[in-house]
């Protein structure tokens, strides 16, 4: 088993001074690589859950994930072996904002 890969079409430039890696669970990390437009989740155990909020003014839903800044830029999502749970709402922004997902490999 090699993990999960999700592919999308569009690649855009990442703004400077934006965090591109961090923790997303007790023993999990995330990393966004601009050159390949890849979000990688690695480590062992469960990913934390994320919350959804709705703007009172625009009615737009927003998910508070650490990779939110990259949701429209990600071409490849790679979840490495060892991840035992994908947090609630973890990839909703990516799915809602990117209508160009081509391939999911489990």
């Amino acid at each position: 088993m090699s993990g999960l890969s999700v592919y999308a079409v569009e690649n855009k430039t990442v703004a400077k001074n934006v965090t591109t890696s961090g923790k997303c669970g007790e023993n999990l990390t995330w990393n966004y690589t601009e050159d390949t437009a890849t979000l990688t989740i690695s480590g062992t155990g469960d990913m934390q859950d994320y919350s959804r909020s709705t703007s009172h003014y625009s009615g737009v839903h927003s998910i508070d994930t650490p990779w939110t800044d990259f949701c429209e830029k990600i071409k490849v999502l790679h979840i490495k072996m060892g991840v035992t749970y994908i947090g609630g709402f973890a990839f909703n922004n990516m799915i809602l904002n990117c209508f160009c997902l081509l391939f999911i490999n489990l």
Side-chain angles (χ1 to χ4, degrees):
M1 195 153 137
S2 62
L4 168 73
S5 295
V6 177
Y7 300 89
V9 176
E10 194 170 323
N11 184 10
K12 298 178 184 175
T13 305
V14 175
K16 300 298 179 201
N17 299 322
V18 175
T19 301
T20 58
S21 64
K23 291 187 68 127
C24 57
E26 187 173 332
N27 297 308
L28 294 180
T29 59
W30 68 276
N31 183 59
Y32 177 73
T33 305
E34 181 179 4
D35 296 345
T36 59
T38 300
L39 175 64
T40 302
I41 308 296
S42 59
T44 58
D46 295 350
M47 180 186 291
Q48 67 187 60
D49 289 316
Y50 295 94
S51 60
R52 182 178 85 164
S53 61
T54 303
S55 168
H56 295 288
Y57 299 106
S58 67
V60 174
H61 295 289
S62 172
I63 310 298
D64 184 25
T65 60
W67 47 83
T68 295
D69 292 333
F70 311 112
C71 286
E72 294 180 12
K73 301 169 180 91
I74 296 168
K75 287 180 69 174
V76 178
L77 168 62
H78 184 68
I79 300 176
K80 292 191 172 186
M81 193 142 163
V83 177
T84 56
Y85 171 78
I86 297 172
F89 297 108
F91 301 112
N92 280 38
N93 272 348
M94 193 175 89
I95 293 167
L96 294 172
N97 294 325
C98 181
F99 301 104
C100 50
L101 292 176
L102 295 178
F103 182 71
I104 298 175
N105 182 15
L106 299 175

